[in-house]
Amino acid sequence: AQVRVEIADSGVGMTAEQFDRIRTVIERLPTDYALVIRHYYFENCSLEVIAEKLDISVSWACRVHARAIATLGKLLKDVT
């Protein structure tokens, strides 16, 4: 029996094993990248809210998000 995990209100479901693997990879990201990913995908925060929480501009939050996603993709390829 597989357990499914939902990411915030995204409707994205995955097995608990997949979720644990992604969580482990997120922990390997630089701190600012990991914070943006956690806020955006796990706490369902907008980039505007993330920028406010981290005291950065919205454009910088957007850039960090893009870089975090690119880095996350590379790290996940290395894991699989």
Side-chain angles (χ1 to χ4, degrees), residues 9-70:
D9 294 328
S10 68
V12 174
M14 64 186 73
T15 66
E17 180 182 315
Q18 290 168 323
F19 181 79
D20 287 341
R21 183 172 20 166
I22 290 172
R23 190 180 60 202
T24 299
V25 173
I26 290 171
E27 291 171 4
R28 293 175 49 200
L29 291 172
T31 303
D32 56 340
Y33 288 15
L35 284 171
V36 169
I37 293 295
R38 284 190 200 108
H39 286 310
Y40 193 83
Y41 293 100
F42 298 99
E43 297 174 18
N44 206 27
C45 294
S46 67
L47 290 173
E48 291 80 8
V49 170
I50 294 167
E52 187 176 312
K53 285 183 176 196
L54 301 180
D55 195 29
I56 59 177
S57 70
V58 175
S59 63
W60 187 249
C62 184
R63 185 173 300 217
V64 171
H65 176 261
R67 290 178 180 176
I69 291 297

